[in-house]
Amino acid sequence: MSSDADAKPVRPRVAPEFSGDYEVLSEGYYRCQDAELSGARPDPTCADAVDAYVVPIALEKAALAGLPVPEWFLSNELFPPPCVVYGVNPFSRGYAFVRDEAQREAAAAKFTWRKKYVLCGQIISDATEVVALRVVRGHTESPGYERWAADIDRVFRIPLATVRLLRTGDDVRFSSITVLPAKSLTPRERAWLAEPRTPPVAPGSDGLHG
Amino acid sequence: MGRLAIFIERYSISGSFELDSLLRFKDAGERRGHDVSYLFRPELRHITRYDAVFIRATTDPLNASFVASRVAEMHGIPVIDDSHSILVCCDKIWMYQLLQKRGVDIPRTVFLHRSEVNELRAVALFRELGPKIVLKAPDSSFSSHVEKVESPAEFVEIGEKFLRRSDRILAQEFVKSLFDWRVGVLGGKPLYACRYIIPEETFKIMAVVDGKLRLCWTEGVALDAAPPEVVRLAVEAANAIGEGLYGVDLKQVDGRTVVIEVNDNPTINAGLEDLYAPDLYDRIVAHLLEERRPRHPAKRS
């Protein structure tokens, strides 16, 4: 039994794990685990990685940290379109737009593995689009999303991440985080890896996040 | 008075032993003056309405039970199983390394990277661990993805199969016994004991043999009738993982006692695990709602 409020001893931080893939039971995940077992506090910890990659947990964590998130639900039955859906299971990757009821059944079957698992749906409007950011240690090459990149890094501490946001006009909300393979980095992104970590910034200080 | 949510899945109520056990938890909670509700997946958004959460569904870092655990924690709500225990117990690489670090006796165990699953390494491992080796995928549960191998070729075949699920696997000395001890531990104290009698046709508590499912038989044992060394080692192993509820499996062979694994979310079936520990329901409810208070009451509705 525990809660986040339980006191934990301060552990030394170690160099971040830069593979970009921290999926449970992957080599990147195990390298983080090795560091934890040696008594250090890596970026990310195994718990950080799971918090980031399991969509409903990431949404809850983002919301508690003050980032705007869409209204969301868990279901393995019927759900109301339009929405974006993600699987919550060991196998499903990616997401699907469900714009109308005709698309719903196929999406539900795919992401719930025929009702064996649950899916996470995020309510959108017909005008919503998904914006994918590549975030490297709190930086992004996507103009206009620098604050988002910094905030995602502050909240989740995932050194390399593909971040999906839901954009409806000027309204932008956090949607999910997935892997960003190190081998896909641009020269500028690789340079960011060598930079010292920037201090955390309060969310919404540039007015982007309501 | 507190509000306890018991998170369950539909399969949690498919067997009569499990269903009876869930009803006994509810009875125990209500007898102690608490409100007890069953919570299903679509209701996870309402978790903040409760003062404590007890998960009675298969745990895995990538399924809904983990969401229940983690969301409860984020809101300062006491939960069994806590997310750390789930992460560790659902990953045998992590679990055995923690046990080794704490000096808990386990069968000789070697952790293997992808590049080590080859016949040359297998020959060395057979020399080190004996003529029979047990290979385990880290996320094995209910004895699935646990196989005994007796030749380098078999080692590579099974090892490669398990590597589809994980980048690391483990090899372990084979320890033969007619039964496993299972000791339930709650908050560092023994809760119940039983023996899992292993079917003759297999070395696992559950296996498919010739197309038929073979299950172990559970035999309840009073805690004070279990070998003290078994109970002591079970508590030591549970303490290496955390302060929650665990089912620790152990073997005693030729005077040696070893921990086979520590399980979060241990099976508690009415009339079996609780046979000589009818108070276990009260103890779990009290542990969640009466012995510790949430640290963040201001966040609660």
Side-chain angles (χ1 to χ4, degrees):
Chain A
M1 182 174 71
S2 78
S3 74
D4 273 359
D6 289 345
K8 287 176 183 146
V10 176
R11 291 177 289 163
R13 299 198 82 87
V14 295
E17 213 297 303
F18 282 148
S19 71
D21 180 356
Y22 315 105
E23 294 255 22
V24 173
L25 310 187
S26 69
E27 187 55 32
Y29 180 86
Y30 277 125
R31 283 203 289 264
C32 298
Q33 193 181 103
D34 292 342
E36 288 190 67
L37 283 162
S38 75
R41 204 286 189 195
D43 267 348
T45 62
C46 292
D48 289 337
V50 179
D51 279 359
Y53 290 160
V54 179
V55 176
I57 295 174
L59 288 165
E60 195 74 12
K61 191 168 186 171
L64 287 171
L67 301 183
V69 301
E71 189 180 336
W72 59 275
F73 59 87
L74 296 173
S75 175
N76 53 357
E77 304 287 347
L78 295 177
F79 53 85
C83 57
V84 171
V85 296
Y86 294 90
V88 183
N89 63 62
F91 317 108
S92 299
R93 301 290 179 269
Y95 66 94
F97 269 111
V98 179
R99 297 282 189 195
D100 53 44
E101 292 189 0
Q103 296 173 319
R104 182 169 62 184
E105 200 166 324
K110 177 181 174 187
F111 286 98
T112 65
W113 284 65
R114 302 205 173 275
K115 299 188 180 181
K116 186 175 178 191
Y117 299 100
V118 70
L119 63 73
C120 177
Q122 301 173 4
I123 309 288
I124 58 172
S125 77
D126 290 337
T128 301
E129 59 176 349
V130 171
V131 176
L133 299 185
R134 295 163 59 89
V135 176
V136 177
R137 296 201 78 184
H139 302 281
T140 183
E141 291 183 341
S142 301
Y145 292 97
E146 293 83 358
R147 177 59 55 186
W148 268 103
D151 283 345
I152 293 293
D153 183 58
R154 172 181 58 82
V155 174
F156 292 100
R157 305 199 73 90
I158 303 292
L160 284 69
T162 300
V163 177
R164 293 197 182 97
L165 305 172
L166 301 178
R167 178 172 202 122
T168 311
D170 292 336
D171 181 73
V172 182
R173 291 167 190 268
F174 170 76
S175 181
S176 71
I177 295 176
T178 54
V179 303
L180 175 59
K183 62 186 177 189
S184 74
L185 296 187
T186 66
R188 193 175 175 207
E189 288 171 336
R190 278 199 293 273
W192 285 330
L193 290 185
E195 285 182 4
R197 177 171 283 285
T198 51
V201 184
S205 53
D206 65 348
L208 255 179
H209 309 148
Chain B
M1 188 181 96
R3 291 158 297 180
L4 174 65
I6 303 178
F7 176 73
I8 57 175
E9 300 271 16
R10 276 181 290 198
Y11 59 74
S12 307
I13 50 177
S14 62
S16 60
F17 293 128
E18 293 158 310
L19 180 59
D20 282 354
S21 167
L22 288 171
L23 294 173
R24 290 180 190 190
F25 276 114
K26 193 170 192 319
D27 283 349
E30 290 175 349
R31 205 172 48 246
R32 301 178 75 86
H34 305 299
D35 278 341
V36 181
S37 306
Y38 300 114
L39 194 71
F40 288 87
R41 289 174 186 175
E43 300 161 312
L44 280 181
R45 290 299 312 273
H46 305 312
I47 217 162
T48 53
R49 294 177 186 170
Y50 297 92
D51 297 306
V53 176
F54 183 41
I55 295 170
R56 289 281 86 195
T58 303
T59 51
D60 182 289
L62 301 176
N63 72 14
S65 57
F66 190 82
V67 177
S69 174
R70 195 66 191 100
V71 171
E73 286 174 348
M74 285 181 191
H75 289 273
I77 300 168
V79 57
I80 292 176
D81 305 287
D82 62 88
S83 66
H84 173 75
S85 295
I86 297 174
L87 285 177
V88 171
C89 294
C90 292
D91 178 355
K92 289 187 169 38
I93 303 276
W94 200 346
M95 181 193 70
Y96 286 121
Q97 289 194 89
L98 272 181
L99 295 177
Q100 280 183 335
K101 202 174 163 184
R102 291 291 192 93
V104 176
D105 290 326
I106 59 173
R108 282 174 293 163
T109 302
V110 177
F111 305 100
L112 300 168
H113 292 251
R114 189 170 285 279
S115 61
E116 293 177 277
V117 177
N118 56 59
E119 294 206 8
L120 196 63
R121 184 75 173 106
V123 171
L125 282 170
F126 280 112
R127 244 184 260 127
E128 185 181 345
L129 299 177
K132 296 174 184 174
I133 291 177
V134 178
L135 284 182
K136 295 183 178 178
D139 58 342
S140 61
S141 61
F142 296 106
S143 297
S144 68
H145 301 95
V146 174
E147 297 292 344
K148 188 169 60 185
V149 297
E150 300 183 42
S151 72
E154 217 180 349
F155 172 92
V156 172
E157 182 192 339
I158 300 294
E160 285 179 348
K161 190 172 89 178
F162 289 174
L163 283 171
R164 287 182 216 142
R165 305 165 62 87
S166 168
D167 282 339
R168 296 188 190 176
I169 61 172
L170 65 94
Q172 205 165 52
E173 162 196 15
F174 174 59
V175 181
K176 185 176 170 58
S177 67
L178 298 177
F179 63 85
D180 279 3
W181 282 102
R182 160 66 63 96
V183 178
V185 179
L186 173 68
K189 293 177 184 160
L191 186 65
Y192 64 86
C194 56
R195 279 189 281 256
Y196 288 161
I197 314 292
I198 299 167
E200 279 179 6
E201 307 91 330
T202 177
F203 70 103
K204 303 191 283 191
I205 59 166
M206 182 189 289
V208 176
V209 180
D210 297 330
K212 290 180 183 168
L213 183 64
R214 296 277 187 260
L215 290 170
C216 70
W217 177 248
T218 305
E219 194 178 88
V221 177
L223 265 171
D224 56 11
E229 174 61 8
V230 164
V231 177
R232 184 198 66 75
L233 191 56
V235 171
E236 196 181 315
N239 287 345
I241 309 299
E243 300 172 356
L245 171 65
Y246 308 98
V248 184
D249 294 339
L250 308 97
K251 287 184 190 289
Q252 271 200 313
V253 181
D254 300 331
R256 176 189 178 207
T257 308
V258 288
V259 171
I260 296 302
E261 63 183 40
V262 181
N263 300 277
D264 66 312
N265 199 251
T267 301
I268 297 175
N269 281 332
L272 299 175
E273 279 82 359
D274 69 357
L275 188 62
Y276 289 96
D279 64 337
L280 72 82
Y281 302 98
D282 282 79
R283 285 180 61 187
I284 290 171
V285 170
H287 183 82
L288 276 165
L289 282 168
E290 299 164 26
E291 291 170 11
R292 292 173 59 166
R293 298 260 62 87
R295 307 286 179 91
H296 285 316
K299 283 188 179 176
R300 319 281 297 287
S301 56

